[in-house]
């Protein structure tokens, strides 16, 4: 009876050792299924804010073409927040907070004119925002990204005109009417390094 008991214990020990060896030989993949960090969308919030102060740079001071000039800044008080893009408030922004950002385009009246013509390689044409092999039709046609020259901003009839790459088949233009103390605007704030306000909507 004792001998049979020892045989059973021996078999259990042998099976345990075998299973342990197999498990340790299988590579452990940590966080399988999670996206790579660079694929994760940065948090953002859509806010309504009041301009509390403006810091206007001298026109074209310390600017070297094709850098966007001038480098204005604005202090903003947050009046309303839509946290759809940051439900856990990772950005730590709250109603009543005052924040300061640079403006990609001036706080003065400005025009964003997409008129820098695209350049495609020889034998290619610009179509729907891309360079396409000339004479090729359909979804199987090879495409490539066009190249753009730089063009500095300039003054035109009281507006600072920013020349931007032409992404469509037509030249487009958007007017930013300018900011002043007390202006109320809608913007999207992203949690990215060196964030700048680009376009805004007056409310």
């Amino acid at each position: 009876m004792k001998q049979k008991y020892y045989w059973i214990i021996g078999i259990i020990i042998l099976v345990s050792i075998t299973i342990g060896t197999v498990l340790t030989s299988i590579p452990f993949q940590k966080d399988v299924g999670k996206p790579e960090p660079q694929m994760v969308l940065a948090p953002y919030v859509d806010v309504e804010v009041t301009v509390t102060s403006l810091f206007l740079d001298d026109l074209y001071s310390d600017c070297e073409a094709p850098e966007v000039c001038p480098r204005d800044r604005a202090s903003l008080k947050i009046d309303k927040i839509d946290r759809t893009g940051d439900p856990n408030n990772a950005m730590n922004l709250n109603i009543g907070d005052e924040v300061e950002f640079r403006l990609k385009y001036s706080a003065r009246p400005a025009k964003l004119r997409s008129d820098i013509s695209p350049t495609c390689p020889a034998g290619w044409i610009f179509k729907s925002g891309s360079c396409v092999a000339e004479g090729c039709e359909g979804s199987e046609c090879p495409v490539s990204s066009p190249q753009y020259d730089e063009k500095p901003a300039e003054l035109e009839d009281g507006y600072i005109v920013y020349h931007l790459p032409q992404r469509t088949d037509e030249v487009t233009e958007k007017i930013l009417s300018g900011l002043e103390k007390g202006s109320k605007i809608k913007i999207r704030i992203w949690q990215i390094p060196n964030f700048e306000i680009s376009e805004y909507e007056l409310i």
Side-chain angles (χ1 to χ4, degrees), residues 123-142:
W124 296 62
I125 59 173
F126 181 73
K127 186 177 182 180
S128 301
S130 300
C131 293
V132 182
E134 191 170 3
C136 186
E137 299 289 342
S139 59
E140 301 300 322
C141 294

Side-chain angles (χ1 to χ4, degrees), residues 8-57:
I8 293 174
I9 293 178
I11 292 172
I12 292 174
I13 294 173
L14 182 61
V15 171
S16 299
I17 293 173
T18 303
I19 293 174
T21 303
V22 172
L23 289 176
T24 54
S25 66
I26 298 175
F28 177 60
Q29 294 181 317
K30 186 178 181 181
D31 296 333
V32 172
K34 290 186 178 181
E36 294 295 328
Q38 62 269 26
M39 297 175 63
V40 178
L41 185 66
Y44 69 88
V45 290
D46 293 310
V47 296
E48 295 182 9
V49 300
T50 300
V51 177
T52 56
S53 56
L54 290 171
F55 308 91
L56 301 181
D57 191 13

Side-chain angles (χ1 to χ4, degrees), residues 89-117:
N89 195 16
M91 299 176 66
N92 194 28
L93 291 175
N94 300 286
I95 292 176
D97 287 354
E98 189 159 328
V99 292
E100 181 180 312
F101 294 112
R102 285 188 178 275
L103 283 79
K104 183 173 183 178
Y105 309 112
S106 179
R108 303 167 175 89
K111 293 181 179 181
L112 309 183
R113 185 177 295 162
S114 301
D115 63 349
I116 301 180
S117 299

Side-chain angles (χ1 to χ4, degrees), residues 43-201:
Y44 69 88
V45 290
D46 293 310
V47 296
E48 295 182 9
V49 300
T50 300
V51 177
T52 56
S53 56
L54 290 171
F55 308 91
L56 301 181
D57 191 13
D58 293 335
L59 286 177
Y60 303 104
S61 69
D62 300 324
C63 289
E64 296 180 4
E67 182 184 348
V68 175
C69 303
R71 308 297 291 172
D72 298 339
R73 294 177 290 123
S75 288
L76 313 169
K77 182 175 72 68
I78 298 176
D79 301 321
K80 186 177 180 180
I81 301 179
D82 179 351
R83 299 190 189 279
T84 302
D86 183 24
N88 298 319
N89 195 16
M91 299 176 66
N92 194 28
L93 291 175
N94 300 286
I95 292 176
D97 287 354
E98 189 159 328
V99 292
E100 181 180 312
F101 294 112
R102 285 188 178 275
L103 283 79
K104 183 173 183 178
Y105 309 112
S106 179
R108 303 167 175 89
K111 293 181 179 181
L112 309 183
R113 185 177 295 162
S114 301
D115 63 349
I116 301 180
S117 299
T119 301
C120 294
W124 296 62
I125 59 173
F126 181 73
K127 186 177 182 180
S128 301
S130 300
C131 293
V132 182
E134 191 170 3
C136 186
E137 299 289 342
S139 59
E140 301 300 322
C141 294
V143 297
S144 65
S145 299
Q147 300 298 312
Y148 295 93
D149 294 328
E150 300 284 357
K151 190 175 181 180
E154 59 185 347
L155 291 174
E156 179 185 282
D157 299 328
Y159 287 89
I160 300 177
V161 179
Y162 295 92
H163 300 280
L164 308 178
Q166 181 182 336
R167 305 294 186 185
T168 64
D169 296 335
E170 297 181 355
V171 173
T172 60
E173 182 175 278
K174 180 173 183 176
I175 294 179
L176 300 178
S177 55
L179 300 175
E180 59 185 16
K181 185 176 180 179
S183 294
K184 293 183 178 294
I185 59 174
K186 289 182 179 180
I187 58 172
R188 174 168 289 183
I189 301 175
W190 293 86
Q191 190 181 44
I192 57 176
N194 304 315
F195 170 76
E196 296 178 315
I197 298 171
S198 52
E199 299 180 23
Y200 55 83
E201 178 186 348

